[in-house]
């Protein structure tokens, strides 16, 4: 620390301006954020444009302008909406299914050594296998349809949720458990009022990773094993050699994944208001 | 001086030893050796001693959070084999629940304790009372991370008291407070303990502190500990009349006691500080 850190004149000012000042401050922050984002995008788009011009074949790599045109063409069409709805429904279904199974299982494994030792070897065996590796087998068993992508996305979402829940439950600070026990509460209260809230931040981190992993496996599963969805649309336009549309859907996949993460982040914030803000 | 009932100690420690084994190296450290101690019913007992001499370890064993390596601990003649609501603890690191507000933290015991039969209105009244007591008005809905160190400590103090324990185990509960607040809470603690009331209605308090004058002001007896290994060096009876008054701090008897205890632990404290 510098010697002059305690110099009163150099102390950071507390915000004095009222609510209006706070709002304009927020607006300014948001504007700066967008500015940084745009600058990054401009660089990215310029590189893309240069690469497209250099390759000179719109089927191999269309220019950003072509893709944007396709995107606008597609926007709001029934085709786009249907594919989004189908894929997001699958994501939500597989994510909820994974959460309903992985979180309680993670609690059981985190709290009980015997359960952990019984199940952990299987988990460690399956976890490194990408969901994509199961697609061929899935095709045999489930055929083409809703079931296969949902199952593969479930598989992708399951392990991040499970591992993060186990870790979160295990790393609950002993001092909270001790405090609760010396206040004379029973095991159910310790679980509900102490272990679950203490583990929640870690579980929510797992949930965000899980949604990301599920979304990524979706594309692979739909490319091969589904007659609908965003991944299917990518494959469909590839076969038609309509590369701008392929890329328009790729962009859409990225956008949807980002939005889903934003939603989960908002959920995370509202559920853990009590947590000290890391960088306030 | 005040005579306390010697016949039936509230807490009885006999030959209590505690060794910690480092899991990685298997190395053993003796934290406490052969502790014999009776805490009488209704007694206010203070423990002083250099850092690392095992004060917190003793408290944790009485609380039932750590098992001794050897010896026995009893409460009311029954072996201690786990924590219980009749032994309330104010932890050195507060251990407030970060996901609960000040109000909810203080409410925790009365609300969730096994067999607690308080109606919501009684509970609210009780929580309100302790919030007023520790002057946390206005902070009821704050989360612990929004509190200052001293406020956290007062909240932890209120949480333990609100559960109405028979035995209060306190680990440097006033260390993070400013001098004025500390003096106020010391007097409040004596009141809650039952200094002015009937002697057989008093709670039993085990109070760890680094402040020798704080110990002399509060205690019936002061346990002076030494380290390497942790042990009891001397148990000093405090003969000052009750109720204790702030003016007593200036009295010769008070100062003499402080000086005596200071002499006892000075060398220990010095050795511990230089080592650390
Ligand atoms: N969980 C533990 N594992 C290993 N060693 C421990 C553990 N807890 C305490 N010890 C050791 O036991 C000794 C006593 O610790 P304790 O916390 O009881 O000291 P203390 O008297 O409360 O000190 P302070 O005044 O600094 O709070 C120390 O040497 C410490 O290193
Ligand atoms: Mg300690």
């Amino acid at each position: 620390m510098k010697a002059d850190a305690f110099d009163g004149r150099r102390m950071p000012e507390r915000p004095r301006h009222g609510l209006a000042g706070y709002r304009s401050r927020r607006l300014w922050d948001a504007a700066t954020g967008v500015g940084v984002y745009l600058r990054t995008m401009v660089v990215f788009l310029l590189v893309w444009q240069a690469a497209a011009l250099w390759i000179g074949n719109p089927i191999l790599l269309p220019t950003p302008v072509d893709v944007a045109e396709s995107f606008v063409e597609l926007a709001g069409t029934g085709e786009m909406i249907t594919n989004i709805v189908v894929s997001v429904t699958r994501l939500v279904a597989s994510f909820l299914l994974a959460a309903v199974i992985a979180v309680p299982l993670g609690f059981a494994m985190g709290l009980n050594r015997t359960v952990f030792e019984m199940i952990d070897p299987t988990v460690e065996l399956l976890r490194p296998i990408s969901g994509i590796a199961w697609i061929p087998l899935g095709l045999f068993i489930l055929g083409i349809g809703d079931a296969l992508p949902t199952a593969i996305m479930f598989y992708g979402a399951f392990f991040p949720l499970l591992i993060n829940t186990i870790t979160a439950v295990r790393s609950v600070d002993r001092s909270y458990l001790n405090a609760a026990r010396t206040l004379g509460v029973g095991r159910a209260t310790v679980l509900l009022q102490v272990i679950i809230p203490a583990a929640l931040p870690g579980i929510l981190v797992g949930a965000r990773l899980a949604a990301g992993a599920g979304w990524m496996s979706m594309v692979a599963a739909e490319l091969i094993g589904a007659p609908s969805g965003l991944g299917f649309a990518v494959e469909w336009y590839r076969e038609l050699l309509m590369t701008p549309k392929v890329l328009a859907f790729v962009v859409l996949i990225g956008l949807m994944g980002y939005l889903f993460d934003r939603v989960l982040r908002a959920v995370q914030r509202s559920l853990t208001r009590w947590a000290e803000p890391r960088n306030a | 001086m005040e005579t306390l009932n010697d016949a039936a100690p509230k807490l009885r420690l006999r030959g209590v030893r505690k060794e910690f084994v480092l899991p990685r190296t298997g190395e053993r450290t003796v934290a406490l050796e052969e502790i014999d101690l009776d805490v009488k019913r209704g007694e206010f007992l203070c423990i002083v001693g250099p850092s690392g001499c095992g004060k917190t370890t003793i408290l944790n064993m009485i609380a039932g959070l750590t098992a001794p390596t050897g010896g026995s601990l009893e409460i009311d003649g029954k072996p201690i084999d786990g924590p219980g609501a009749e032994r309330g603890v104010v932890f050195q690191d507060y251990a407030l629940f970060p996901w609960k507000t000040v109000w909810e933290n203080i409410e925790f015991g009365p609300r969730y304790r096994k067999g607690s039969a308080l109606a919501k209105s009684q509970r609210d009244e009780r929580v309100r009372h302790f919030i007023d007591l520790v002057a946390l008005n206005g902070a009821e809905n704050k989360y612990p991370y929004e509190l200052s160190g001293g406020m956290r400590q007062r909240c932890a103090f209120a949480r333990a008291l609100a559960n109405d324990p028979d035995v209060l185990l306190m680990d440097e509960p006033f260390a993070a407070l400013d001098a004025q607040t500390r003096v106020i809470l010391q007097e409040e603690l004596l009141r809650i303990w039952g200094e002015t009331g009937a002697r057989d209605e008093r709670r039993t308090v085990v109070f760890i502190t680094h402040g020798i004058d704080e110990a002399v002001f509060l205690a019936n007896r002061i346990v002076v500990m030494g380290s390497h290994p942790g042990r009891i060096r001397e148990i000093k009876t405090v003969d000052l009349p009750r109720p204790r008054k702030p003016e007593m701090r200036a009295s010769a008897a008070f100062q003499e006691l402080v000086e005596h205890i200071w002499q006892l632990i000075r060398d220990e404290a010095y050795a511990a500080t230089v080592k650390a």
Side-chain angles (χ1 to χ4, degrees), chain B residues 69-146:
Chain B
T69 315
S72 67
L73 294 98
E74 291 175 356
I75 176 166
D76 294 323
K78 292 183 286 287
I80 291 173
D81 63 353
E86 78 286 353
R87 280 160 288 146
V89 186
V90 182
F91 292 93
Q92 190 167 11
D93 57 0
Y94 322 141
L96 293 173
F97 303 121
W99 50 90
K100 293 199 178 285
T101 61
V102 166
W103 182 281
E104 291 164 340
N105 265 285
I106 297 173
E107 191 188 34
F108 194 87
R111 179 165 181 183
Y112 297 113
R113 187 180 62 221
K114 272 182 284 189
S116 168
L118 284 178
K120 171 135 173 46
S121 60
Q122 289 171 295
R123 208 166 67 209
D124 287 352
E125 207 175 295
R126 172 166 274 267
V127 175
R128 168 61 43 214
H129 169 78
F130 283 103
I131 284 185
D132 290 343
L133 177 70
V134 297
L136 280 173
N137 320 61
E140 292 90 342
N141 297 318
K142 288 197 165 148
Y143 288 106
Y145 83 87
E146 300 171 290

Side-chain angles (χ1 to χ4, degrees), chain A residues 172-187 189-190 192-199 271-277, chain B residues 60 63-65 83-89 91 93-100 105 108-109 112-114 143-145 152 159-160 163:
Chain A
V172 172
D173 195 328
R174 281 212 73 78
S175 66
Y176 303 141
L177 301 175
N178 287 345
R181 294 196 312 147
T182 57
L183 289 165
V185 303
R187 292 163 64 101
T189 305
V190 171
L192 290 174
Q193 301 297 330
V194 180
I195 298 177
I196 290 179
L271 285 180
T272 55
R273 277 186 204 292
W274 51 266
E276 193 161 0
Chain B
N60 281 340
L65 297 170
E86 78 286 353
R87 280 160 288 146
V89 186
F91 292 93
D93 57 0
Y94 322 141
L96 293 173
F97 303 121
W99 50 90
K100 293 199 178 285
N105 265 285
F108 194 87
Y112 297 113
R113 187 180 62 221
K114 272 182 284 189
Y143 288 106
Y145 83 87
R152 283 177 213 181
R159 180 177 68 178
N163 208 28

Side-chain angles (χ1 to χ4, degrees), chain B residues 51-52 54-57 92 171-172 208 210:
Chain B
S51 182
K55 303 182 293 294
T56 299
T57 307
Q92 190 167 11
D171 202 345
E172 300 185 36
I208 296 175
H210 275 129

